[in-house]
Amino acid sequence: MENSALKPLLSLKYSVTLKLVVIAFLGLLLLIPTAMIQSVIEERAFLNDEAIKEIGSKWAESQEIVGPILSIPIVYETEKDGKITRIIEDYHILPQDLRIEGKVLPEILKRGIFKGVVYRSDLAVTGSFMVLDDFDKKDFVGFNHGEAKVSFGVTDLRGIEDEVQFIVNGEKKQVNPGTGIFKVIPSGFSISMANHEFKAGESIPFTIHLKLKGSKNLSFIPTGKTTDVKIESPWTAPKFDGKFLPNSRNLTEEGFTAEWKVLELNRNYPQSWINNAYAENLKSASFGVDLLSPMEDYQKSTRSAKYALMTIGLTFLMFFLVEVLGKKNIHPFQYAMVGFAICLFYILLVSISEQVSFNIAYLISTIAVVGTICLYSLSLFRVKKYTLILATVLLGSFGFLFVTLQMEDYALLMGSIGLFIILAATMYITRNIDWNKMSLGKSEENPNQ
């Protein structure tokens, strides 16, 4: 009678279906600590961003180069009822050709354990203006030569490290703070062109030598009819962004070089205009380069944590197949311990990557977690062959994840192919199992039947 009463309980104990339900429930339950870990990663990333902003606020912010722009006041006079009214408008002229060449030397500054990328740059700006006369000639009296100026825009003036060498027509000019055309160039410096007799068609060459420091980004506004920019840097992790990508680039282990060429027809503003007509259009044409911080590794940590369910599911599948094929009986608590060990991989990854490079942190975390799970499985499987297979599966999973993280553009393709291979392998291994007659661990437990 007792044996008859115990048979339903024993049947449940060794039920494959029940075990699968429990394993699935555990896998979903482990999404809670995984979500908490992702929240921790996001918090650390936020703290890192704040640290980088603080570093930039003390050093110099991202820099955007605008200009130079020649501004000549035009005088108009109108007569009405015997009274003469004088109107003065700013006539802005852009360079006919603009060439910018420079070197960007990055530095790493720390704020606690967080790091930010800053740089020093040495820029040579050359080109020439051509005085145009495409403005409205009605009621035109003449130029106000005494107020003419050339303005040059720099986003954060704290980044100017040395005296600016500004040469026009072979003459070194005194550089003054402020642009005087704040709606066109909000921040920068200028030189006076007072008493220069401007003539239509006249060419005015210029040279500017500027030592400028900034953080993270260096951008340019194409003000030349033809704008050529060439940048060299030993930084190996650039990101080219903005309205225009480089016409040519070369990225090596020693750094990068990039060259841009922007024509007048590529932008949405002309070579000259009156007052502030195209001030907003200038901003929309910006292009340049970001120096990616090493702490972009937080993004990789976040992306890796999103694969937690796949890694946990694959490990649980391996344990379940050992139960089915090896006639072992593994308790759900033991599944949970293995799942928590995998979750700890992601918190280890982000914490170690704050101290060393991401790749080394990934290697250390993988060895720690895979080693722990394999040592734990030895007492569960009692067969070294199964533990070796488990180690291979885990190393393959984390290796696959690492490759996927490195290939951001092909992450979806790699992920889908990987899942397909896992499913196909599982189907092949379990193709001959009769699930209707299958029970778990009976040969080891030897229950009364």
Side-chain angles (χ1 to χ4, degrees):
M1 287 290 291
E2 290 184 5
N3 288 344
S4 299
L6 289 173
K7 278 186 177 181
L9 295 176
L10 291 172
S11 177
L12 283 175
K13 179 179 179 181
Y14 299 108
S15 169
V16 174
T17 303
L18 179 62
K19 179 55 71 76
L20 283 173
V21 171
V22 172
I23 292 172
F25 176 75
L26 281 174
L28 294 176
L29 200 62
L30 287 170
L31 289 179
I32 297 174
T34 301
M36 294 172 65
I37 290 170
Q38 290 188 42
S39 177
V40 170
I41 296 173
E42 290 174 0
E43 180 184 353
R44 301 300 291 181
F46 174 78
L47 292 174
N48 175 65
D49 290 340
E50 291 299 306
I52 290 175
K53 289 179 182 178
E54 186 177 355
I55 290 171
S57 68
K58 299 292 189 296
W59 178 266
E61 303 285 355
S62 298
Q63 298 286 14
E64 184 175 74
I65 304 300
V66 188
I69 297 178
L70 172 62
S71 301
I72 309 172
I74 298 179
V75 181
Y76 293 95
E77 290 183 354
T78 58
E79 183 177 354
K80 186 176 182 181
D81 299 330
K83 293 182 178 181
I84 297 177
T85 302
R86 171 170 285 196
I87 299 173
I88 300 178
E89 295 183 331
D90 284 329
Y91 179 44
H92 303 300
I93 302 173
L94 301 184
Q96 284 294 108
D97 58 286
L98 178 65
R99 295 177 299 279
I100 303 175
E101 294 188 13
K103 292 184 178 180
V104 178
L105 302 176
E107 297 182 20
I108 299 292
L109 297 184
K110 289 185 176 182
R111 179 68 64 184
I113 64 170
F114 301 110
K115 301 175 184 178
V117 181
V118 298
Y119 62 82
R120 300 177 189 270
S121 64
D122 192 348
L123 303 175
V125 182
T126 59
S128 62
F129 293 105
M130 179 175 289
V131 179
L132 306 176
D133 62 349
D134 56 349
F135 53 89
D136 187 4
K137 304 296 192 304
K138 184 180 179 181
D139 302 323
F140 170 69
V141 175
F143 295 124
N144 185 354
H145 300 285
E147 297 296 326
K149 66 176 75 70
V150 176
S151 302
F152 191 86
V154 174
T155 307
D156 192 341
L157 295 174
R158 295 174 304 159
I160 300 176
E161 289 196 287
D162 203 351
E163 180 184 357
V164 178
Q165 302 291 327
F166 207 136
I167 299 172
V168 178
N169 264 343
E171 179 185 355
K172 184 179 178 181
K173 296 285 188 176
Q174 179 181 346
V175 178
N176 305 308
T179 64
I181 51 172
F182 301 112
K183 291 188 177 180
V184 180
I185 304 179
S187 175
F189 52 84
S190 61
I191 61 167
S192 173
M193 295 292 288
N195 303 319
H196 182 92
E197 295 293 331
F198 295 100
K199 300 177 182 178
E202 176 189 7
S203 180
I204 305 174
F206 61 83
T207 299
I208 306 169
H209 187 202
L210 176 65
K211 291 186 176 181
L212 186 68
K213 64 181 184 180
S215 58
K216 193 173 181 179
N217 177 271
L218 177 62
S219 296
F220 307 90
I221 299 294
T223 53
K225 189 170 186 178
T226 300
T227 302
D228 293 288
V229 177
K230 181 179 180 181
I231 295 297
E232 299 179 7
S233 175
W235 193 248
T236 57
K239 177 186 177 185
F240 304 107
D241 59 4
K243 194 72 172 179
F244 304 97
L245 292 177
N247 294 75
S248 64
R249 71 190 80 174
N250 183 30
L251 180 60
T252 67
E253 294 180 356
E254 286 74 38
F256 75 89
T257 59
E259 297 185 32
W260 292 262
K261 184 173 184 177
V262 182
L263 305 177
E264 178 187 11
L265 295 176
N266 300 140
R267 64 187 200 212
N268 194 28
Y269 47 90
Q271 278 296 105
S272 63
W273 64 85
I274 299 296
N275 293 333
N276 307 315
Y278 292 93
E280 291 299 322
N281 298 59
L282 284 174
K283 300 176 184 178
S284 65
S286 175
F287 64 89
V289 59
D290 282 338
L291 304 182
L292 294 182
S293 168
M295 300 312 278
E296 300 288 341
D297 295 341
Y298 285 112
Q299 296 180 3
K300 292 183 179 179
S301 297
T302 301
R303 289 173 55 210
S304 66
K306 293 178 180 179
Y307 286 87
L309 182 60
M310 183 193 77
T311 308
I312 292 170
L314 185 58
T315 307
F316 281 5
L317 175 63
M318 179 61 200
F319 272 71
F320 178 72
L321 290 178
V322 169
E323 281 199 82
V324 171
L325 301 177
K327 292 296 181 179
K328 305 292 180 182
N329 194 15
I330 302 175
H331 195 275
F333 179 79
Q334 294 167 321
Y335 275 92
M337 290 296 98
V338 172
F340 279 120
I342 294 174
C343 289
L344 284 177
F345 166 82
Y346 302 101
I347 199 69
L348 279 174
L349 177 61
V350 68
S351 60
I352 298 175
S353 67
E354 290 181 342
Q355 310 298 329
V356 298
S357 71
F358 180 84
N359 292 352
I360 294 176
Y362 196 96
L363 178 62
I364 294 172
S365 303
T366 300
I367 292 173
V369 171
V370 172
T372 301
I373 294 175
C374 289
L375 289 174
Y376 185 63
S377 68
L378 278 174
S379 61
L380 302 180
F381 299 162
R382 297 189 180 93
V383 179
K384 291 184 179 180
K385 179 180 71 173
Y386 292 146
T387 301
L388 289 174
I389 295 174
L390 174 63
T392 302
V393 170
L394 287 172
L395 290 174
S397 299
F398 287 118
F400 167 77
L401 176 58
F402 180 78
V403 173
T404 301
L405 292 176
Q406 306 306 312
M407 303 174 64
E408 183 175 354
D409 294 338
Y410 301 99
L412 179 60
L413 177 63
M414 291 290 293
S416 59
I417 292 175
L419 290 174
F420 174 78
I421 292 173
I422 292 169
L423 177 60
T426 305
M427 293 173 68
Y428 179 79
I429 293 170
T430 60
R431 68 192 187 282
N432 294 324
I433 297 177
D434 188 346
W435 296 101
N436 292 320
K437 295 181 180 181
M438 178 60 62
S439 59
L440 298 173
K442 286 191 177 182
S443 62
E444 190 174 276
E445 300 292 338
N446 195 22
N448 293 324
Q449 299 186 22

